[in-house]
C-alpha cells in the first residue's frame, strides 16, 4: 500500500548545487510515497494524513551512498597504514573470502545493515562478494530493513588469490543465478559489478557487458583510482585509449546507467566518456585520502557537466555516514585548490550536501530532494544535544553545516523511504 | 594531597614514535600522582591502593592539545566556506569581542570547559581573548574542572577591528595584571600570547618578549600558516630573514618554551629556528585543510629533530577531540606524499598517536606516557558499543586505531590528571 503521511519539523534540501531550500517549522506532505509539497501551514485536505511531529529537529532528504563494500565493513578504520596491495591481499581478500560461509555472512551483514539503517543513508549501491548466496543474503537484509538501492555480486576471474577466484564460466553462471533469484525484491535491485578491469578477463568483461545491455541492468565498478592501476589497465587492455575506454570497449561505460567510483585521474584522460548522461562518478574523498589515491577534481568534473555523487567506500573509507564524505569532500577540494589545482574551484558545503542527496539521488530516479513528485526519502536529525551560545541565532542551513561538521556520526532519530517509516 | 591509585584495564601508550606498549588486562599503578609502573599482576605492596576497575576498556595517556582558541568554540563547524580574512572579520573577531561581557564569557567558557572535560584531552594550551577578566575566568573554569595546562590572554594592538583592539600600553598592563592574578592557580598557568605578528606592533612584541624572558614564561603564537600571511610579515618586519626570525628578533622563538601553531611552510624557510629544543610545533591538520593553508611537512620536521604535537585549533578545526587531529594528520600526510612531497614519509597512526600524547606532552613536562615517573594523566575509552565480527581477533593497538578512526568523538568514560579522577 502507498504511504500518505505528514512530517513536521525544520525542513531543508538542495534545489540545485548552490541553493538550499529552508523551511523551519513546516509540513512535508507525503502522498502515495512521494513528496506532495512543503507548507508553512498544513492545507485542510491533508489534515486526515497521519502526522509525525519532529518539532525542532532537522528533516533532510535521505542520503545516497553510491559506493560501499558491504563485506569490508567489519574492518572499517583498521590497517590504514598499509599499501593498497598489502591491504587487499593481507586483509581485504581473506576477509571477503569468509563470506563463502553463510553463517558468517549472516552475522557480518547483519551488523552492516544495522549500522547503515542508523546512518543518514536511505539509498545505496553496494558491492558484495563473488559469493552468490551471500550476495542474495545481503540484498535480503537491506530489503527487510526497508532500505533501497542496488547490490552487486562481485565478478573477478583473474589477478586475485585462489581463496577469492571464480572461473569465467562460474562468474557468468553466478551472475545469471543472482539475477534470476533477485527478481522478486521490491526496493533492492541487482547491479552488474566487475570488481575492476585488472580482476576481470576480457571474456568475462564482454559477457557482463552483454548481460547488462540485454537485460538493461546498471553497472558499477572502479575507475582511475591511482596511477599504477591506470598503467596496469593500459597493459591489460592495450587497445584501449584510456581506462574508461576499456570499460566502453566491453559495453559498460554508459550503455546503461553506470557508477564509476573514484575517477581521481579522469578529468585529464577520459572526460568525454564521463560526460555520458548515463554515467555517475562516485566521489570517495575518505578512501582517496586513506589509501593515498589523490584528490578527484570534483568541481572541474561538475563544471564539465559530469554527474557526481558521494560514496563512503567503506572500508577504504572508515565512516558509513555520508556526513563524513560531505565534509571531507570540502576539505580535500580546498587542499587541491591550494596545492595541486588552483584553477579548480573549492567545493562548498552546499555543493557537497547536494552531491550526497540530489546529486547521487538522480541515479535512483527522482530521489534526494523534496521537490513535488520526488520519492519521499527523509531523515530526521536531532541536534538538540549540541551546545552553543549561538544556537538561537543560527539559520537552518547553518545548523545543518554545524551538524555535518561536528555531530554527523549519530543522532538519526527517524528515517523514511518512499514515505514508509523504517524501524530503527 | 598526592594521589595513590590503581587502574585496571587494557593499557596502551607510546614508548617512542614507532612503538606502542600494549598491556591487556593489566594494572596501572599511580603513586603520589605519578606512574609507578604497569603490571600484569598487582604487586602486594600496592594492594592497599584504591582500585578503579576498567575491565575491557582502553586506558591511554591523556591527550595534549597544543593549540585551541577557546572563544571560538561556539562556532565550531560553521562558516567553513569563507576566506580566512572574511571569516576573521565577519565572524571570529565580532564573536571574540563578546567576551568583554563576563556573563557571556561565563556561559560560553562553561560549554567549552564541559566539552573539553569530556574529550580525551587532559592538557591544553588555549588562546583566550584580549580581555583580562574573561581570560582569568577561562583559567578558573579549566582549573576547577581539574584540567591542566596554559591559558593566554591574547595580545593584539594593530591590524584588528576597533571592537577588538587594545593600545600597546593597555596590552602590556593587561598582561601584567593577568600574570599577577593567575599566580595562585595550581594546574593552570599563564602563557604569553601574541596573536601573531601582523596583529602586534614591534613595541608590543618587544615588551612581551621581555616579560617572557624576565619571568621565564612560555610563549604561544602562530607561524607560517599561509603564503600571503608570510609575505605580510616580511613587509611588517622587513629586517627579519623569515617569519620565525621575526619572533626571534623579539625574543619569542625559543628563549623560553615556545609553541608555534601550523608551520605549514616552515621546513623550507626556517627549519633551524624550529630545531631549538625549546620550540614545539602545533600541527593542526583540520584547520590547515578547512582554511586551505596547505599541508605541514610533519614527517620531514620530525625527521629533522623538530618537536611536534597536535592542535585541534578550534574553531578553524571543528573537532575538540584530538582523535580527529590524529586521523586527519595521517590522511593529509598521505595526500602530501601523493600530491606535493613524495619525498616525505607518510605519517603512521602510531606516530600521530605519539604526537597527540607523548609528543605534545613533553611541553608540559613528563606527560603523555605511562613510563615510570610520568605524571599520571589517563583517559578511559569504552569501545564496547563498537560492533564488528573481528572484535576478538584484534590486538589492543588495532582496537585503538579503529576507535580513533570510527569512534573517536565520544565514549570517554573516565579521566585522570596527575592521578586525580576528574568529575565528568
Amino acid at each position: 500500500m502507498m504511504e500518505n503521511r505528514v512530517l513536521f519539523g525544520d525542513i531543508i534540501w538542495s534545489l540545485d548545487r548552490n541553493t538550499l531550500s529552508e523551511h523551519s517549522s513546516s509540513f512535508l506532505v507525503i502522498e502515495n510515497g512521494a513528496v506532495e509539497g512543503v507548507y508553512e501551514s498544513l492545507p485542510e485536505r491533508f489534515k486526515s494524513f497521519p502526522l509525525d511531529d519532529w518539532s525542532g529537529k532537522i528533516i533532510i532528504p535521505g542520503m545516497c551512498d553510491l559506493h560501499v563494500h558491504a563485506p569490508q565493513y567489519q574492518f572499517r578504520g583498521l590497517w590504514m597504514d598499509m599499501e593498497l596491495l598489502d591491504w587487499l591481499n593481507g586483509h581485504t581478500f581473506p576477509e571477503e573470502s569468509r563470506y563463502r560461509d553463510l553463517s558468517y555472512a549472516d552475522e557480518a551483514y547483519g551488523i552492516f545493515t544495522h549500522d547503515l539503517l542508523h546512518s543518514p543513508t536511505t539509498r545505496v549501491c553496494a558491492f558484495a562478494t563473488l559469493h552468490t548466496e551471500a550476495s542474495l543474503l545481503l540484498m535480503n537484509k537491506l530489503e527487510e530493513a526497508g532500505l533501497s538501492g542496488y547490490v552487486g555480486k562481485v565478478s573477478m576471474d583473474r589477478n586475485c588469490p585462489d581463496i577469492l577466484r571464480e572461473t569465467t564460466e562460474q562468474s557468468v553462471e553466478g551472475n545469471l543465478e543472482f539475477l534470476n533469484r533477485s527478481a522478486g525484491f521490491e526496493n533492492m535491485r541487482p547491479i552488474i559489478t566487475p570488481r575492476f578491469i585488472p580482476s576481470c578477463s576480457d571474456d568475462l568483461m564482454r559477457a557482463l557487458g552483454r548481460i547488462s545491455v540485454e537485460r538493461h541492468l546498471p553497472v558499477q565498478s572502479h575507475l582511475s583510482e591511482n596511477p599504477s592501476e591506470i598503467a596496469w589497465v593500459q597493459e591489460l587492455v592495450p587497445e584501449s585509449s584510456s581506462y574508461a575506454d576499456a570499460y566502453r570497449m566491453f559495453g559498460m561505460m554508459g550503455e546503461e546507467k553506470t557508477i564509476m567510483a573514484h575517477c581521481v585521474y579522469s578529468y585529464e584522460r577520459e572526460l568525454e566518456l564521463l560526460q555520458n548522461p548515463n554515467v555517475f562518478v562516485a566521489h570517495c574523498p575518505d578512501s582517496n585520502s586513506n589509501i593515498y589515491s589523490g584528490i578527484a577534481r570534483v568541481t572541474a568534473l561538475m563544471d564539465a557537466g559530469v554527474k557526481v555523487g558521494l560514496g563512503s567506500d567503506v572500508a577504504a573509507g572508515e565512516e558509513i555516514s555520508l556526513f563524513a564524505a560531505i565534509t571531507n569532500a570540502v576539505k580535500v577540494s580546498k587542499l587541491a585548490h591550494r596545492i595541486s589545482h588552483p584553477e579548480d574551484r573549492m567545493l562548498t558545503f552546499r555543493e557537497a550536501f547536494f552531491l550526497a542527496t540530489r546529486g547521487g539521488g538522480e541515479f535512483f530516479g527522482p530521489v534526494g530532494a523534496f521537490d513535488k513528485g520526488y520519492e519521499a526519502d527523509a531523515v530526521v536529525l536531532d541536534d538538540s544535544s549540541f551546545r552553543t551560545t549561538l544556537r538561537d541565532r543560527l539559520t537552518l542551513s547553518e545548523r545543518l553545516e554545524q551538524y555535518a561538521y561536528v555531530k554527523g556520526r549519530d543522532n538519526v532519530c527517524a528515517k523514511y523511504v518512499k514515505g514508509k517509516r523504517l524501524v530503527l
Side-chain angles (χ1 to χ4, degrees), chain A:
Chain A
M1 78 81 156
M2 297 305 271
E3 297 282 339
N4 293 340
R5 185 188 302 277
V6 176
L7 309 185
F8 178 80
D10 301 330
I11 302 164
I12 183 167
W13 78 95
S14 297
L15 287 182
D16 56 42
R17 276 162 52 171
N18 302 310
T19 317
L20 287 169
S21 188
E22 308 182 39
H23 305 264
S24 295
S25 301
S26 297
F27 299 86
L28 171 64
V29 175
I30 300 170
E31 194 168 33
N32 297 326
V35 175
E36 193 283 335
V38 174
Y39 303 91
E40 280 188 28
S41 60
L42 187 60
E44 195 56 40
R45 63 189 188 280
F46 302 122
K47 292 198 170 152
S48 62
F49 288 12
L51 175 89
D52 292 356
D53 185 351
W54 298 113
S55 303
K57 306 225 173 2
I58 304 172
I59 302 176
I60 61 171
M63 294 190 181
C64 304
D65 190 342
L66 292 192
H67 188 64
V68 57
H69 291 267
Q72 297 176 13
Y73 187 67
Q74 305 307 313
F75 58 89
R76 62 204 181 279
L78 282 174
W79 314 311
M80 284 298 193
D81 295 328
M82 304 183 78
E83 308 260 339
L84 177 58
L85 287 184
D86 296 341
W87 181 78
L88 282 172
N89 293 314
H91 293 290
T92 305
F93 288 152
E95 176 64 17
E96 287 195 14
S97 72
R98 298 177 70 188
Y99 289 75
R100 174 185 301 104
D101 171 358
L102 266 190
S103 67
Y104 180 73
D106 186 65
E107 181 190 2
Y109 283 150
I111 292 172
F112 170 76
T113 302
H114 171 277
D115 287 7
L116 186 64
L117 179 62
H118 289 79
S119 82
T121 295
T122 55
R123 308 277 174 145
V124 64
C125 287
F127 279 54
T129 62
L130 55 73
H131 310 97
T132 304
E133 291 296 337
S135 302
L136 288 162
L137 181 71
L138 171 61
M139 218 165 162
N140 193 53
K141 284 189 180 294
L142 294 171
E143 169 101 356
E144 285 182 346
L147 296 164
S148 185
Y150 297 87
V151 167
K153 168 231 176 304
V154 173
S155 298
M156 45 200 295
D157 69 345
R158 70 173 175 185
N159 296 316
C160 40
D162 296 341
I163 52 168
L164 203 66
R165 178 198 303 276
E166 52 189 359
T167 65
T168 309
E169 298 65 31
Q170 287 168 335
S171 185
V172 173
E173 286 164 21
N175 272 283
L176 295 175
E177 182 185 359
F178 179 68
L179 296 177
N180 296 336
R181 291 174 60 187
S182 58
F185 287 89
E186 179 190 348
N187 287 330
M188 297 301 302
R189 300 258 181 272
I191 183 167
I192 300 298
T193 307
R195 188 172 200 122
F196 69 149
I197 281 177
S199 60
C200 298
S201 67
D202 292 4
D203 287 347
L204 178 54
M205 290 297 285
R206 266 186 291 270
L208 294 175
R210 254 197 316 275
I211 294 172
S212 164
V213 171
E214 288 169 1
R215 303 193 179 202
H216 298 300
L217 292 167
V219 173
Q220 64 180 354
S221 197
H222 299 86
L223 177 63
S224 296
E225 184 170 3
N226 76 56
S228 54
E229 170 209 24
I230 293 168
W232 193 14
V233 169
Q234 191 57 57
E235 286 173 26
L236 292 167
V237 191
E239 62 275 38
S240 64
S241 62
S242 68
Y243 194 160
D245 186 57
Y247 282 112
R248 183 199 56 76
M249 288 169 49
F250 298 120
M252 288 186 284
M253 193 64 205
E255 284 75 1
E256 301 294 330
K257 275 197 171 177
T258 303
I259 292 176
M260 286 293 166
H262 306 309
C263 303
V264 176
Y265 299 92
S266 295
Y267 185 83
E268 299 81 353
R269 300 161 180 267
E270 51 207 1
L271 178 59
E272 302 68 21
L273 288 171
L274 294 190
Q275 288 169 321
N276 179 323
N278 277 342
V279 174
F280 289 71
V281 170
H283 176 42
C284 308
D286 287 292
S287 166
N288 297 161
S289 300
N290 287 330
I291 53 181
Y292 48 100
S293 306
I295 302 175
R297 300 182 60 183
V298 177
T299 53
L301 289 170
M302 293 165 75
D303 293 348
V306 175
K307 291 175 176 166
V308 181
L310 295 182
S312 64
D313 196 20
V314 162
E318 68 268 30
E319 294 264 15
I320 194 76
S321 169
L322 283 187
F323 278 117
I326 287 172
T327 53
N328 287 320
V330 172
K331 286 177 192 239
V332 298
S333 81
K334 291 171 174 175
L335 290 175
H337 175 75
R338 168 67 70 188
I339 292 171
S340 56
H341 292 94
E343 69 273 30
D344 290 357
R345 289 186 305 105
M346 293 180 282
L347 192 71
T348 64
F349 170 73
R350 286 172 182 234
E351 286 178 300
F353 182 76
F354 168 89
L355 294 181
T357 53
R358 193 165 193 144
E362 187 181 348
F363 183 81
F364 304 89
V367 170
F370 294 144
D371 297 18
K372 184 175 173 59
Y374 269 61
E375 297 182 7
D377 288 14
V379 172
V380 182
L381 307 172
D382 181 0
D383 64 341
S384 58
S385 65
F386 188 73
R387 299 173 71 214
T388 168
T389 54
L390 307 183
R391 180 61 184 267
D392 299 336
R393 296 160 51 189
L394 297 182
T395 65
L396 182 48
S397 58
E398 286 174 329
R399 280 171 62 198
L400 178 64
E401 180 184 13
Q402 196 168 39
Y403 184 97
Y405 271 98
V406 185
K407 302 264 317 150
R409 286 87 183 177
D410 49 13
N411 294 351
V412 169
C413 49
K415 238 164 125 167
Y416 303 83
V417 173
K418 301 175 188 174
K420 183 165 182 283
R421 184 170 179 182
L422 307 191
V423 181
L424 299 189

